Amino acid sequence: MPVRVQTGDFDAGAEIAALRRGNPKVGAVASFIGVCRDANDGDAVSTMTLEHYPGMTEKALEKIVAEARTRWDVVDVLVVHRVGELKPTDQIVLVVVAGAHRSEAFAACEFVMDYLKTRAPFWKKEQTPKGTRWVEARTSDDEAAQRWEPPKSSAA
Amino acid sequence: MKVKVLYLASLREQLGATGEDLDLSPAVSTVAGLRTLLMARGGAWQSALAQGKALRVAVNQEIAQPATPVKQGDEIAFFPPVTGG
């Protein structure tokens, strides 16, 4: 279950091919690519700079992937996240989940992204005509992650 | 008790510091205690670390809570809520 943090771009096709190469157990591959937009909160964005906490980032991503593997029967998971300076249309993040069936692959892919958005130590700073600013965390991201929490008062 | 403290992202800019090595008294035994100690410096420290500010803390690169113990040799990082992806 590789996780990578890198400044360079990634080739999703090559990554997917490598993840499932020669593995006849894989019947479904779900992937997600996050891309840098040219606007945020009503302002044009010319550059986005991604910072992270080296060491913790990799551990946090590995923990998220491990958690996904305990919840769904998946064959393999890949997370690639870029850091440094990015421009609109640049790729930011890739999540690939290979599984036997689509339902597990879809669910695990969405879970990894929702947890990554709220638990992996990355921060975005954007350049707009008004100056540079740090992107604020969104409550909608917390809500998306909370969907995966077990019910607090389980009848079981 | 020697610890390494890191300030990341917007917090680093608000504090004008990337981090520091601190020698804590035994009275400072938790994340909350360390935060209080740093706030007592006043100015940007007081405002950026104030209670109610959305802050996250990691001890040895694991997400921590206010009551998480702080021990000799720990790496303690303060940072804003994450915004990756």
mmCIF file of all heavy atoms in Angstrom, chain A residues 61 63-72 77 95 97 104-119 144-150:
data_model
loop_
_atom_site.group_PDB
_atom_site.id
_atom_site.type_symbol
_atom_site.label_atom_id
_atom_site.label_comp_id
_atom_site.label_asym_id
_atom_site.label_seq_id
_atom_site.Cartn_x
_atom_site.Cartn_y
_atom_site.Cartn_z
ATOM 1 N N LEU A 61 -1.027 9.202 6.071
ATOM 2 C CA LEU A 61 -1.581 8.580 4.862
ATOM 3 C C LEU A 61 -1.576 7.059 4.991
ATOM 4 O O LEU A 61 -2.542 6.387 4.618
ATOM 5 C CB LEU A 61 -0.777 9.011 3.626
ATOM 6 C CG LEU A 61 -0.889 10.484 3.233
ATOM 7 C CD1 LEU A 61 0.056 10.802 2.069
ATOM 8 C CD2 LEU A 61 -2.317 10.856 2.848
ATOM 9 N N LYS A 63 -1.766 5.367 7.706
ATOM 10 C CA LYS A 63 -2.804 4.997 8.671
ATOM 11 C C LYS A 63 -4.190 5.004 8.010
ATOM 12 O O LYS A 63 -5.015 4.127 8.269
ATOM 13 C CB LYS A 63 -2.759 6.003 9.832
ATOM 14 C CG LYS A 63 -3.380 5.522 11.101
ATOM 15 C CD LYS A 63 -3.044 6.484 12.237
ATOM 16 C CE LYS A 63 -3.973 6.259 13.409
ATOM 17 N NZ LYS A 63 -3.736 7.219 14.484
ATOM 18 N N ILE A 64 -4.432 5.994 7.166
ATOM 19 C CA ILE A 64 -5.724 6.090 6.471
ATOM 20 C C ILE A 64 -5.903 4.889 5.530
ATOM 21 O O ILE A 64 -6.967 4.264 5.491
ATOM 22 C CB ILE A 64 -5.808 7.418 5.679
ATOM 23 C CG1 ILE A 64 -5.880 8.601 6.652
ATOM 24 C CG2 ILE A 64 -7.020 7.413 4.747
ATOM 25 C CD1 ILE A 64 -5.620 9.960 6.004
ATOM 26 N N VAL A 65 -4.846 4.547 4.818
ATOM 27 C CA VAL A 65 -4.914 3.406 3.916
ATOM 28 C C VAL A 65 -5.129 2.114 4.711
ATOM 29 O O VAL A 65 -5.948 1.264 4.337
ATOM 30 C CB VAL A 65 -3.632 3.321 3.054
ATOM 31 C CG1 VAL A 65 -3.577 2.001 2.298
ATOM 32 C CG2 VAL A 65 -3.568 4.492 2.079
ATOM 33 N N ALA A 66 -4.427 1.980 5.827
ATOM 34 C CA ALA A 66 -4.590 0.781 6.666
ATOM 35 C C ALA A 66 -6.017 0.684 7.181
ATOM 36 O O ALA A 66 -6.615 -0.401 7.219
ATOM 37 C CB ALA A 66 -3.595 0.819 7.827
ATOM 38 N N GLU A 67 -6.576 1.831 7.574
ATOM 39 C CA GLU A 67 -7.963 1.854 8.059
ATOM 40 C C GLU A 67 -8.929 1.441 6.939
ATOM 41 O O GLU A 67 -9.865 0.660 7.168
ATOM 42 C CB GLU A 67 -8.303 3.257 8.572
ATOM 43 C CG GLU A 67 -9.746 3.487 8.950
ATOM 44 C CD GLU A 67 -10.164 2.794 10.238
ATOM 45 O OE1 GLU A 67 -9.267 2.479 11.057
ATOM 46 O OE2 GLU A 67 -11.371 2.560 10.408
ATOM 47 N N ALA A 68 -8.688 1.924 5.733
ATOM 48 C CA ALA A 68 -9.539 1.548 4.593
ATOM 49 C C ALA A 68 -9.490 0.039 4.383
ATOM 50 O O ALA A 68 -10.503 -0.609 4.110
ATOM 51 C CB ALA A 68 -9.090 2.287 3.330
ATOM 52 N N ARG A 69 -8.293 -0.529 4.558
ATOM 53 C CA ARG A 69 -8.138 -1.975 4.313
ATOM 54 C C ARG A 69 -8.813 -2.816 5.384
ATOM 55 O O ARG A 69 -9.141 -3.975 5.122
ATOM 56 C CB ARG A 69 -6.660 -2.327 4.192
ATOM 57 C CG ARG A 69 -6.011 -1.620 3.015
ATOM 58 C CD ARG A 69 -4.585 -2.068 2.835
ATOM 59 N NE ARG A 69 -4.555 -3.428 2.331
ATOM 60 C CZ ARG A 69 -3.994 -3.782 1.187
ATOM 61 N NH1 ARG A 69 -3.400 -2.903 0.432
ATOM 62 N NH2 ARG A 69 -4.015 -5.038 0.795
ATOM 63 N N THR A 70 -8.984 -2.249 6.588
ATOM 64 C CA THR A 70 -9.719 -3.008 7.606
ATOM 65 C C THR A 70 -11.228 -2.958 7.325
ATOM 66 O O THR A 70 -11.963 -3.828 7.738
ATOM 67 C CB THR A 70 -9.475 -2.467 9.031
ATOM 68 O OG1 THR A 70 -10.039 -1.164 9.131
ATOM 69 C CG2 THR A 70 -8.000 -2.429 9.374
ATOM 70 N N ARG A 71 -11.675 -1.901 6.644
ATOM 71 C CA ARG A 71 -13.118 -1.737 6.419
ATOM 72 C C ARG A 71 -13.608 -2.423 5.153
ATOM 73 O O ARG A 71 -14.761 -2.831 5.084
ATOM 74 C CB ARG A 71 -13.464 -0.253 6.342
ATOM 75 C CG ARG A 71 -13.218 0.488 7.646
ATOM 76 C CD ARG A 71 -13.722 1.909 7.540
ATOM 77 N NE ARG A 71 -13.455 2.672 8.739
ATOM 78 C CZ ARG A 71 -14.276 3.616 9.207
ATOM 79 N NH1 ARG A 71 -15.398 3.883 8.580
ATOM 80 N NH2 ARG A 71 -13.968 4.282 10.293
ATOM 81 N N TRP A 72 -12.747 -2.464 4.127
ATOM 82 C CA TRP A 72 -13.166 -3.061 2.854
ATOM 83 C C TRP A 72 -12.123 -4.064 2.397
ATOM 84 O O TRP A 72 -10.934 -3.882 2.633
ATOM 85 C CB TRP A 72 -13.339 -1.977 1.777
ATOM 86 C CG TRP A 72 -14.461 -1.048 2.068
ATOM 87 C CD1 TRP A 72 -15.791 -1.264 1.834
ATOM 88 C CD2 TRP A 72 -14.369 0.251 2.672
ATOM 89 N NE1 TRP A 72 -16.520 -0.179 2.259
ATOM 90 C CE2 TRP A 72 -15.675 0.763 2.767
ATOM 91 C CE3 TRP A 72 -13.308 1.030 3.141
ATOM 92 C CZ2 TRP A 72 -15.965 2.011 3.315
ATOM 93 C CZ3 TRP A 72 -13.581 2.271 3.676
ATOM 94 C CH2 TRP A 72 -14.910 2.753 3.762
ATOM 95 N N VAL A 77 -3.967 -0.283 -2.578
ATOM 96 C CA VAL A 77 -4.325 1.133 -2.536
ATOM 97 C C VAL A 77 -3.069 1.956 -2.814
ATOM 98 O O VAL A 77 -1.986 1.618 -2.318
ATOM 99 C CB VAL A 77 -4.892 1.537 -1.148
ATOM 100 C CG1 VAL A 77 -5.272 3.014 -1.113
ATOM 101 C CG2 VAL A 77 -6.094 0.666 -0.781
ATOM 102 N N VAL A 95 -5.707 9.049 -5.821
ATOM 103 C CA VAL A 95 -6.018 7.874 -5.001
ATOM 104 C C VAL A 95 -6.484 6.777 -5.943
ATOM 105 O O VAL A 95 -7.357 7.012 -6.777
ATOM 106 C CB VAL A 95 -7.115 8.168 -3.956
ATOM 107 C CG1 VAL A 95 -7.477 6.900 -3.185
ATOM 108 C CG2 VAL A 95 -6.669 9.253 -2.992
ATOM 109 N N VAL A 97 -7.730 2.678 -5.871
ATOM 110 C CA VAL A 97 -8.064 1.487 -5.092
ATOM 111 C C VAL A 97 -8.381 0.355 -6.059
ATOM 112 O O VAL A 97 -9.241 0.500 -6.929
ATOM 113 C CB VAL A 97 -9.274 1.728 -4.164
ATOM 114 C CG1 VAL A 97 -9.608 0.444 -3.413
ATOM 115 C CG2 VAL A 97 -8.991 2.858 -3.192
ATOM 116 N N GLU A 104 -16.626 -2.112 -3.212
ATOM 117 C CA GLU A 104 -15.540 -1.881 -2.258
ATOM 118 C C GLU A 104 -14.563 -0.835 -2.778
ATOM 119 O O GLU A 104 -14.087 0.017 -2.026
ATOM 120 C CB GLU A 104 -14.764 -3.181 -1.979
ATOM 121 C CG GLU A 104 -15.509 -4.224 -1.208
ATOM 122 C CD GLU A 104 -16.232 -5.209 -2.106
ATOM 123 O OE1 GLU A 104 -16.479 -4.872 -3.291
ATOM 124 O OE2 GLU A 104 -16.559 -6.302 -1.622
ATOM 125 N N ALA A 105 -14.263 -0.915 -4.072
ATOM 126 C CA ALA A 105 -13.275 0.016 -4.643
ATOM 127 C C ALA A 105 -13.778 1.455 -4.588
ATOM 128 O O ALA A 105 -13.056 2.367 -4.164
ATOM 129 C CB ALA A 105 -12.957 -0.384 -6.090
ATOM 130 N N PHE A 106 -15.049 1.665 -4.965
ATOM 131 C CA PHE A 106 -15.630 3.012 -4.913
ATOM 132 C C PHE A 106 -15.626 3.539 -3.476
ATOM 133 O O PHE A 106 -15.214 4.673 -3.203
ATOM 134 C CB PHE A 106 -17.078 3.007 -5.421
ATOM 135 C CG PHE A 106 -17.228 3.146 -6.904
ATOM 136 C CD1 PHE A 106 -18.057 2.287 -7.618
ATOM 137 C CD2 PHE A 106 -16.579 4.157 -7.605
ATOM 138 C CE1 PHE A 106 -18.224 2.422 -8.987
ATOM 139 C CE2 PHE A 106 -16.743 4.297 -8.977
ATOM 140 C CZ PHE A 106 -17.577 3.412 -9.666
ATOM 141 N N ALA A 107 -16.129 2.732 -2.563
ATOM 142 C CA ALA A 107 -16.284 3.181 -1.171
ATOM 143 C C ALA A 107 -14.928 3.482 -0.552
ATOM 144 O O ALA A 107 -14.740 4.523 0.096
ATOM 145 C CB ALA A 107 -17.026 2.117 -0.356
ATOM 146 N N ALA A 108 -13.973 2.595 -0.739
ATOM 147 C CA ALA A 108 -12.659 2.789 -0.128
ATOM 148 C C ALA A 108 -11.974 4.027 -0.705
ATOM 149 O O ALA A 108 -11.311 4.776 0.017
ATOM 150 C CB ALA A 108 -11.791 1.547 -0.332
ATOM 151 N N CYS A 109 -12.152 4.281 -1.990
ATOM 152 C CA CYS A 109 -11.533 5.443 -2.634
ATOM 153 C C CYS A 109 -12.105 6.730 -2.035
ATOM 154 O O CYS A 109 -11.359 7.658 -1.699
ATOM 155 C CB CYS A 109 -11.785 5.383 -4.136
ATOM 156 S SG CYS A 109 -10.904 6.629 -5.082
ATOM 157 N N GLU A 110 -13.418 6.768 -1.869
ATOM 158 C CA GLU A 110 -14.047 7.962 -1.313
ATOM 159 C C GLU A 110 -13.648 8.150 0.152
ATOM 160 O O GLU A 110 -13.378 9.272 0.600
ATOM 161 C CB GLU A 110 -15.570 7.848 -1.442
ATOM 162 C CG GLU A 110 -16.269 9.150 -1.186
ATOM 163 C CD GLU A 110 -17.745 9.123 -1.560
ATOM 164 O OE1 GLU A 110 -18.321 8.025 -1.704
ATOM 165 O OE2 GLU A 110 -18.315 10.211 -1.708
ATOM 166 N N PHE A 111 -13.595 7.062 0.884
ATOM 167 C CA PHE A 111 -13.177 7.104 2.288
ATOM 168 C C PHE A 111 -11.758 7.668 2.425
ATOM 169 O O PHE A 111 -11.501 8.550 3.262
ATOM 170 C CB PHE A 111 -13.244 5.686 2.871
ATOM 171 C CG PHE A 111 -12.590 5.529 4.211
ATOM 172 C CD1 PHE A 111 -13.303 5.777 5.382
ATOM 173 C CD2 PHE A 111 -11.265 5.118 4.317
ATOM 174 C CE1 PHE A 111 -12.701 5.630 6.623
ATOM 175 C CE2 PHE A 111 -10.655 4.973 5.553
ATOM 176 C CZ PHE A 111 -11.374 5.237 6.705
ATOM 177 N N VAL A 112 -10.836 7.168 1.614
ATOM 178 C CA VAL A 112 -9.444 7.640 1.698
ATOM 179 C C VAL A 112 -9.385 9.139 1.426
ATOM 180 O O VAL A 112 -8.715 9.893 2.149
ATOM 181 C CB VAL A 112 -8.536 6.862 0.719
ATOM 182 C CG1 VAL A 112 -7.175 7.540 0.589
ATOM 183 C CG2 VAL A 112 -8.361 5.422 1.181
ATOM 184 N N MET A 113 -10.122 9.622 0.442
ATOM 185 C CA MET A 113 -10.101 11.060 0.156
ATOM 186 C C MET A 113 -10.722 11.870 1.288
ATOM 187 O O MET A 113 -10.196 12.911 1.680
ATOM 188 C CB MET A 113 -10.852 11.352 -1.153
ATOM 189 C CG MET A 113 -9.983 11.391 -2.379
ATOM 190 S SD MET A 113 -8.443 12.330 -2.192
ATOM 191 C CE MET A 113 -9.044 13.983 -1.876
ATOM 192 N N ASP A 114 -11.857 11.396 1.818
ATOM 193 C CA ASP A 114 -12.512 12.143 2.901
ATOM 194 C C ASP A 114 -11.614 12.219 4.136
ATOM 195 O O ASP A 114 -11.543 13.261 4.793
ATOM 196 C CB ASP A 114 -13.846 11.480 3.277
ATOM 197 C CG ASP A 114 -14.938 11.775 2.259
ATOM 198 O OD1 ASP A 114 -14.747 12.677 1.414
ATOM 199 O OD2 ASP A 114 -15.981 11.097 2.298
ATOM 200 N N TYR A 115 -10.930 11.124 4.451
ATOM 201 C CA TYR A 115 -10.041 11.143 5.617
ATOM 202 C C TYR A 115 -8.781 11.961 5.333
ATOM 203 O O TYR A 115 -8.288 12.667 6.206
ATOM 204 C CB TYR A 115 -9.705 9.710 6.043
ATOM 205 C CG TYR A 115 -10.622 9.186 7.119
ATOM 206 C CD1 TYR A 115 -11.978 9.508 7.099
ATOM 207 C CD2 TYR A 115 -10.155 8.404 8.170
ATOM 208 C CE1 TYR A 115 -12.838 9.055 8.089
ATOM 209 C CE2 TYR A 115 -11.010 7.952 9.169
ATOM 210 C CZ TYR A 115 -12.347 8.268 9.121
ATOM 211 O OH TYR A 115 -13.191 7.829 10.114
ATOM 212 N N LEU A 116 -8.271 11.858 4.106
ATOM 213 C CA LEU A 116 -7.090 12.652 3.740
ATOM 214 C C LEU A 116 -7.371 14.147 3.913
ATOM 215 O O LEU A 116 -6.549 14.890 4.454
ATOM 216 C CB LEU A 116 -6.721 12.326 2.291
ATOM 217 C CG LEU A 116 -5.476 12.977 1.687
ATOM 218 C CD1 LEU A 116 -4.942 12.110 0.541
ATOM 219 C CD2 LEU A 116 -5.706 14.391 1.173
ATOM 220 N N LYS A 117 -8.564 14.581 3.495
ATOM 221 C CA LYS A 117 -8.913 16.010 3.557
ATOM 222 C C LYS A 117 -8.947 16.538 4.992
ATOM 223 O O LYS A 117 -8.796 17.738 5.204
ATOM 224 C CB LYS A 117 -10.295 16.256 2.931
ATOM 225 C CG LYS A 117 -10.394 15.983 1.459
ATOM 226 C CD LYS A 117 -9.831 17.072 0.578
ATOM 227 C CE LYS A 117 -10.679 18.287 0.396
ATOM 228 N NZ LYS A 117 -10.106 19.175 -0.650
ATOM 229 N N THR A 118 -9.184 15.664 5.951
ATOM 230 C CA THR A 118 -9.353 16.131 7.332
ATOM 231 C C THR A 118 -8.246 15.647 8.267
ATOM 232 O O THR A 118 -8.162 16.107 9.403
ATOM 233 C CB THR A 118 -10.706 15.666 7.908
ATOM 234 O OG1 THR A 118 -10.814 14.246 7.740
ATOM 235 C CG2 THR A 118 -11.860 16.338 7.190
ATOM 236 N N ARG A 119 -7.407 14.702 7.839
ATOM 237 C CA ARG A 119 -6.427 14.114 8.756
ATOM 238 C C ARG A 119 -4.986 14.155 8.291
ATOM 239 O O ARG A 119 -4.083 13.934 9.104
ATOM 240 C CB ARG A 119 -6.800 12.653 9.025
ATOM 241 C CG ARG A 119 -8.149 12.565 9.690
ATOM 242 C CD ARG A 119 -8.541 11.143 9.978
ATOM 243 N NE ARG A 119 -9.858 11.125 10.584
ATOM 244 C CZ ARG A 119 -10.267 10.235 11.455
ATOM 245 N NH1 ARG A 119 -9.467 9.262 11.821
ATOM 246 N NH2 ARG A 119 -11.480 10.295 11.967
ATOM 247 N N ALA A 144 -18.109 15.365 5.635
ATOM 248 C CA ALA A 144 -17.882 14.243 4.724
ATOM 249 C C ALA A 144 -17.118 13.127 5.423
ATOM 250 O O ALA A 144 -17.417 11.939 5.251
ATOM 251 C CB ALA A 144 -17.113 14.722 3.489
ATOM 252 N N ALA A 145 -16.140 13.488 6.244
ATOM 253 C CA ALA A 145 -15.353 12.482 6.964
ATOM 254 C C ALA A 145 -16.191 11.794 8.039
ATOM 255 O O ALA A 145 -16.046 10.601 8.304
ATOM 256 C CB ALA A 145 -14.112 13.122 7.578
ATOM 257 N N GLN A 146 -17.089 12.579 8.655
ATOM 258 C CA GLN A 146 -17.891 12.015 9.745
ATOM 259 C C GLN A 146 -18.883 10.960 9.263
ATOM 260 O O GLN A 146 -19.327 10.132 10.048
ATOM 261 C CB GLN A 146 -18.637 13.136 10.487
ATOM 262 C CG GLN A 146 -17.750 13.809 11.537
ATOM 263 C CD GLN A 146 -18.255 15.181 11.931
ATOM 264 O OE1 GLN A 146 -19.380 15.548 11.635
ATOM 265 N NE2 GLN A 146 -17.403 15.934 12.612
ATOM 266 N N ARG A 147 -19.221 11.002 7.982
ATOM 267 C CA ARG A 147 -20.134 9.979 7.446
ATOM 268 C C ARG A 147 -19.599 8.578 7.687
ATOM 269 O O ARG A 147 -20.344 7.611 7.743
ATOM 270 C CB ARG A 147 -20.279 10.142 5.926
ATOM 271 C CG ARG A 147 -21.062 11.336 5.494
ATOM 272 C CD ARG A 147 -21.153 11.345 3.987
ATOM 273 N NE ARG A 147 -19.827 11.334 3.359
ATOM 274 C CZ ARG A 147 -19.564 10.848 2.148
ATOM 275 N NH1 ARG A 147 -20.520 10.299 1.439
ATOM 276 N NH2 ARG A 147 -18.348 10.900 1.660
ATOM 277 N N TRP A 148 -18.270 8.469 7.780
ATOM 278 C CA TRP A 148 -17.649 7.153 7.891
ATOM 279 C C TRP A 148 -17.449 6.717 9.338
ATOM 280 O O TRP A 148 -16.959 5.614 9.592
ATOM 281 C CB TRP A 148 -16.289 7.165 7.182
ATOM 282 C CG TRP A 148 -16.368 7.591 5.765
ATOM 283 C CD1 TRP A 148 -16.078 8.814 5.253
ATOM 284 C CD2 TRP A 148 -16.789 6.785 4.639
ATOM 285 N NE1 TRP A 148 -16.279 8.828 3.889
ATOM 286 C CE2 TRP A 148 -16.709 7.604 3.484
ATOM 287 C CE3 TRP A 148 -17.213 5.466 4.497
ATOM 288 C CZ2 TRP A 148 -17.044 7.150 2.226
ATOM 289 C CZ3 TRP A 148 -17.539 5.017 3.232
ATOM 290 C CH2 TRP A 148 -17.456 5.842 2.120
ATOM 291 N N GLU A 149 -17.770 7.601 10.280
ATOM 292 C CA GLU A 149 -17.606 7.246 11.698
ATOM 293 C C GLU A 149 -18.667 6.210 12.064
ATOM 294 O O GLU A 149 -19.795 6.278 11.600
ATOM 295 C CB GLU A 149 -17.783 8.461 12.594
ATOM 296 C CG GLU A 149 -16.806 9.592 12.333
ATOM 297 C CD GLU A 149 -15.385 9.256 12.741
ATOM 298 O OE1 GLU A 149 -15.217 8.391 13.616
ATOM 299 O OE2 GLU A 149 -14.447 9.838 12.169
ATOM 300 N N PRO A 150 -18.308 5.274 12.932
ATOM 301 C CA PRO A 150 -19.342 4.324 13.379
ATOM 302 C C PRO A 150 -20.383 5.070 14.201
ATOM 303 O O PRO A 150 -20.063 6.065 14.832
ATOM 304 C CB PRO A 150 -18.558 3.324 14.235
ATOM 305 C CG PRO A 150 -17.295 4.017 14.591
ATOM 306 C CD PRO A 150 -17.022 5.038 13.527
#
